[in-house]
């Protein structure tokens, strides 16, 4: 058995620890999005594979028997490539993902289908908005320059974001409810924009927004092709054991 984990999430790191403890041969993979990704207890590669073809070649040359797509729910292209490459090479595939967040009774969510829809939802008088969606999609909000945006990025960007009114904070999660409460109070936040990432690593801002009764623009996650899914490292470990003992190579995908 040789496992490839497509990482970049809290759950991917938890699985890497579990495989390392059990000395299961495995590789960890980052896209190379941030300057210094968290070190992992597994041999780690950084950077794209070169599309689905590149990943398929990697699976073959590295003799990967089990592919675990533990990328973030918004890492749509990587997940699509994982399904295509695994199918082409007959590699067993499972996604380690987390259920989407659901609003609680008192939550003031406005669900939107995309970043562009989130921008459109910001029509209205100028507000102080916590834009907790990272760096990659900030430019879209230049269409609403009237708001003051508080941005939280993993790395300091080379050039200033194209938003005339903004405050930059550099921080990486997992975050805490107290920390996010303090951030929102310090900056007088009136509205939160975020992605429905699910999981615990990014949920603090929702708890803080709930405590402050702030409105939330919640961006729904993209649709992904059907694949076997697990919601925790233990379920992946069970699958690895089962798949390595079952003699046929076919994935019965239930
Ligand atoms: C490079 C690798 C771990 C993983 C930790 C999780 C939790 C903390 C919360 C906010 C939201 C956001 C962002 C976020 C969180 C975890 C997880 C998660 C959100 C690192 C990491 C990599 C990335 C990439 C980065 C994106 C950005 C998104 C910041 C490591 C720290 C906003 C997603 O500057 C950039 O280019 C950043 C790009 C993709 C989204 C974007 O569009 O900007 N994650 N985040 C991975 C790689 O190279 O392959 O150092 O750990 C990982 C984590 N970020 O092991 O503890 O599991 O989700 N990451 C979102 O959810 O909206 C921050 O500020 O509240
Ligand atoms: P994406 O848009 O789905 O993928 C774009 C390209 O990046 C992929 O086609 C692939 O390049 C490369 N890539 C993505 N993840 C990779 C990985 N783990 N290992 C090797 N190459 C990878 O992905 P993204 O949204 O930019 O996310 C990039 C990374 O950040 C992922 O590890 C993801 O888990 C993490 N992350 C993303 C978010 C988010 O909000 N999107 C949040 C938290 C963490 P090639 O086509 O060249 O193979």
């Amino acid at each position: 058995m040789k496992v490839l984990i497509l990482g970049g999430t809290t759950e991917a790191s938890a699985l890497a620890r579990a495989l390392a403890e059990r000395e299961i041969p495995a590789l960890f993979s980052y896209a190379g999005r941030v300057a210094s990704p968290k070190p992992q207890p597994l041999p780690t590669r950084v950077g794209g594979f070169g599309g689905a073809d590149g990943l398929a070649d990697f699976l073959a040359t590295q003799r990967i028997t089990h592919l675990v797509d533990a990328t973030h729910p918004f890492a749509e292209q990587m997940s699509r490539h994982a399904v295509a490459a695994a199918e082409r090479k007959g590699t067993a595939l499972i996604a380690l993902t987390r259920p989407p967040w659901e609003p609680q009774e008192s939550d003031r969510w406005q669900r939107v289908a995309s970043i562009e829809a989130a921008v459109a939802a910001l029509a209205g008088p100028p507000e102080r908005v916590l834009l907790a969606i990272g760096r990659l999609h900030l430019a879209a909000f230049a269409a609403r320059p009237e708001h003051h945006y508080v941005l939280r990025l993993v790395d300091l960007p080379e050039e200033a974001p194209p938003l005339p009114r903004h405050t930059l904070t550099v921080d990486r999660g997992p975050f805490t409810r107290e920390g996010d409460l303090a951030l929102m109070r310090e900056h007088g936040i009136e509205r939160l924009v975020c992605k429905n990432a699910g999981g615990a690593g990014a949920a603090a801002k929702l708890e803080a927004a709930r405590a402050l009764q702030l409105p939330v623009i919640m961006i729904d996650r993209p649709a992904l092709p059907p694949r076997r899914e697990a919601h925790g490292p233990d379920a992946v470990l069970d699958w690895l054991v089962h798949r390595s003992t079952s003699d046929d190579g076919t994935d019965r995908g239930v």
Side-chain angles (χ1 to χ4, degrees):
M1 172 190 288
K2 186 174 177 186
V3 182
L4 172 61
I5 302 177
L6 302 177
T9 59
T10 314
E11 291 75 13
S13 299
L15 178 63
R17 282 193 297 278
L19 295 185
E21 280 157 14
R22 290 163 178 76
E23 296 183 344
I24 294 174
L27 284 176
F28 196 92
S29 178
Y30 278 124
R33 271 261 187 271
V34 300
S36 47
K38 171 197 266 198
Q40 295 293 340
L42 295 173
T44 299
R45 63 169 299 291
V46 180
F49 294 98
D53 293 346
L55 177 55
D57 293 345
F58 188 86
L59 295 176
T61 52
Q62 291 292 322
R63 302 186 189 293
I64 301 296
T65 58
H66 295 75
L67 177 57
V68 181
D69 175 4
T71 59
H72 188 275
F74 280 72
E76 178 182 1
Q77 184 170 288
M78 186 70 258
S79 293
R80 289 186 178 284
H81 290 178
V83 168
E87 211 160 281
R88 199 179 315 165
K89 291 296 177 185
T91 308
L93 167 69
I94 195 166
L96 173 52
T97 185
R98 51 266 181 126
W101 293 315
E102 296 295 337
Q104 293 187 12
E105 199 55 42
S106 64
D107 287 351
R108 300 171 59 194
W109 284 19
Q110 178 182 355
R111 287 178 54 179
V112 295
S114 65
I115 297 271
E116 291 66 32
V119 176
L122 281 172
E127 285 183 318
R128 299 182 63 82
V129 179
L130 174 57
L131 204 43
I133 59 164
R135 176 180 63 89
L136 302 187
H137 302 288
L138 294 179
F141 292 85
R144 296 260 176 230
E146 64 275 18
H147 301 299
H148 183 102
Y149 295 102
V150 174
L151 313 175
R152 175 156 65 185
L153 306 180
V154 177
D155 297 319
L156 209 53
E158 284 89 45
E159 67 267 354
L163 303 169
R165 295 172 190 76
H166 73 267
T167 306
L168 252 181
T169 61
V170 175
D171 199 356
R172 82 167 55 195
F175 301 104
T176 64
R177 180 181 181 280
E178 290 62 38
D180 281 4
L181 259 178
L183 180 77
M184 291 179 183
R185 287 186 171 126
E186 180 191 349
H187 294 283
I189 297 302
E190 297 167 281
R191 191 179 299 272
L192 168 66
V193 178
C194 66
K195 298 173 185 172
N196 197 328
K205 55 185 174 283
L206 297 185
E207 292 154 27
R210 183 173 300 133
L212 299 174
Q213 280 297 294
L214 295 181
V216 176
I217 295 177
M218 180 60 72
I219 304 167
D220 284 335
R221 50 182 65 177
L224 294 175
R227 72 253 165 102
R228 180 188 295 273
E229 291 189 356
H231 284 164
D234 291 347
V236 175
L237 290 171
D238 293 348
W239 175 75
L240 287 174
V241 170
H242 166 75
R243 287 297 312 228
S244 62
T245 48
S246 67
D247 47 10
D248 63 348
T250 50
D251 185 354
R252 294 198 206 305
V254 287

